[in-house]
Amino acid sequence: MTTESKKADTSIEELVEMTTEIDPELVDICTDLGSQTDEAKAIYMTSRNIAKKLVGDETIEDKVRQRCVTSTGDPAVADLMRFVNNPMKAGVEAIKKGAPILVDINMVKAGITKRGHNCEVICVLDKDEDAELARKYGITRTAAGFLKCKDILEGSIVAIGNAPSAAFAVCRMIEHGIKPAIIVGTPVGFVNAAESKEVVRKAPVPSITCVGTRGGTPMAVACVNELVAIANDDECVID
């Protein structure tokens, strides 16, 4: 039998193999809205329990820290996170209201759970698809995208996981009185990332950020998805 015929004869059942042992108890208590199969739930809950031990589980903010540690595989990121102007309450309320979620890149959009909320997730790059505004003013496409969204920025959820320039653009609009409900800002890199997050923390809006050059899409997605999870958890009380 040739290699090609072997491929044709191979059934899906022969290829299926779980990557972890399934613990029914973990599956039953899983609250992650993105995990839809027993294997995914077991993996998520095992990781989350490890993160709880590393981070602690005393405050509502710890839940966000746990998910960020899980998403990055790096316990150190928990100590880098900053919560300003009661962002947990603001974020959960915005989720429950169905506020639009404006993101800087499609990777962030793809990572945000589709379940547990009625928020429209909008990648701002789609608002300046031909980069007309970006070329006209010589700015980045993400910054131009957020400027294009200025009419829907008020009361929105902003999630920036990549572009410092996008964070600066949002903060500039805030200076002109256009305020989102919350900014999740974790842009990453060596050029302006740390500075942009410091500007976000000084803005008169609720924010979740991290300190320094680290960050990225996984952290931004983790923050938003945890806000969605908390919004769907009746046992979570936020002061």
Side-chain angles (χ1 to χ4, degrees):
M1 184 180 291
T2 66
T3 301
E4 288 301 320
S5 61
K6 285 182 180 179
K7 289 180 181 178
D9 291 341
T10 301
S11 68
I12 292 293
E13 286 72 17
E14 291 176 271
L15 301 175
V16 171
E17 184 176 350
M18 290 187 177
T19 61
T20 189
E21 184 177 343
I22 303 300
D23 184 336
E25 184 177 345
L26 291 181
V27 172
D28 287 341
I29 65 174
C30 182
T31 58
D32 180 47
L33 296 172
S35 301
Q36 299 187 39
T37 68
D38 287 355
E39 183 181 26
K41 290 177 181 178
I43 291 171
Y44 173 80
M45 288 306 300
T46 300
S47 297
R48 189 63 181 249
N49 286 339
I50 293 171
K52 283 182 180 180
K53 293 177 182 177
L54 293 171
V55 175
D57 194 32
E58 297 180 1
T59 68
I60 199 76
E61 290 82 7
D62 282 341
K63 295 184 180 299
V64 175
R65 294 186 182 98
Q66 291 164 13
R67 192 180 284 256
C68 285
V69 166
T70 298
S71 68
T72 61
D74 185 359
V77 301
D79 294 328
L80 301 179
M81 302 193 69
R82 299 292 183 268
F83 300 82
V84 176
N85 295 327
N86 201 0
M88 303 304 295
K89 182 177 181 180
V92 168
E93 287 179 351
I95 293 289
K96 289 182 176 180
K97 289 178 182 176
I101 302 175
L102 308 180
V103 306
D104 59 336
I105 58 173
N106 277 306
M107 284 179 64
V108 177
K109 180 178 179 178
I112 292 174
T113 181
K114 309 300 185 293
R115 303 169 66 197
H117 66 89
N118 294 314
C119 305
E120 181 182 5
V121 184
I122 300 168
C123 178
V124 300
L125 292 176
D126 297 334
K127 295 298 183 179
D128 191 31
E129 193 171 2
D130 297 325
E132 180 183 354
L133 190 66
R135 285 196 300 269
K136 180 178 180 180
Y137 294 103
I139 59 178
T140 69
R141 288 185 63 209
T142 49
F146 272 104
L147 294 177
K148 280 272 193 176
C149 290
K150 66 182 180 66
D151 292 337
I152 57 173
L153 183 73
E154 184 76 27
S156 69
I157 300 163
V158 170
I160 299 170
N162 182 71
S165 59
F168 282 127
V170 171
C171 288
R172 198 165 296 116
M173 286 187 278
I174 291 171
E175 291 175 0
H176 287 268
I178 308 171
K179 294 184 178 181
I182 179 176
I183 302 175
V184 173
T186 61
V188 62
F190 297 110
V191 180
N192 289 332
E195 295 83 352
S196 69
K197 288 177 282 193
E198 183 62 30
V199 171
V200 169
R201 285 190 286 275
K202 292 178 180 178
V205 297
S207 65
I208 302 174
T209 61
C210 58
V211 175
T213 59
R214 295 159 83 176
T217 292
M219 288 187 70
V221 169
C223 292
V224 175
N225 284 348
E226 190 60 27
L227 289 172
V228 172
I230 293 169
N232 284 272
D233 187 349
D234 295 334
E235 295 183 3
C236 276
V237 178
I238 304 176
D239 296 329

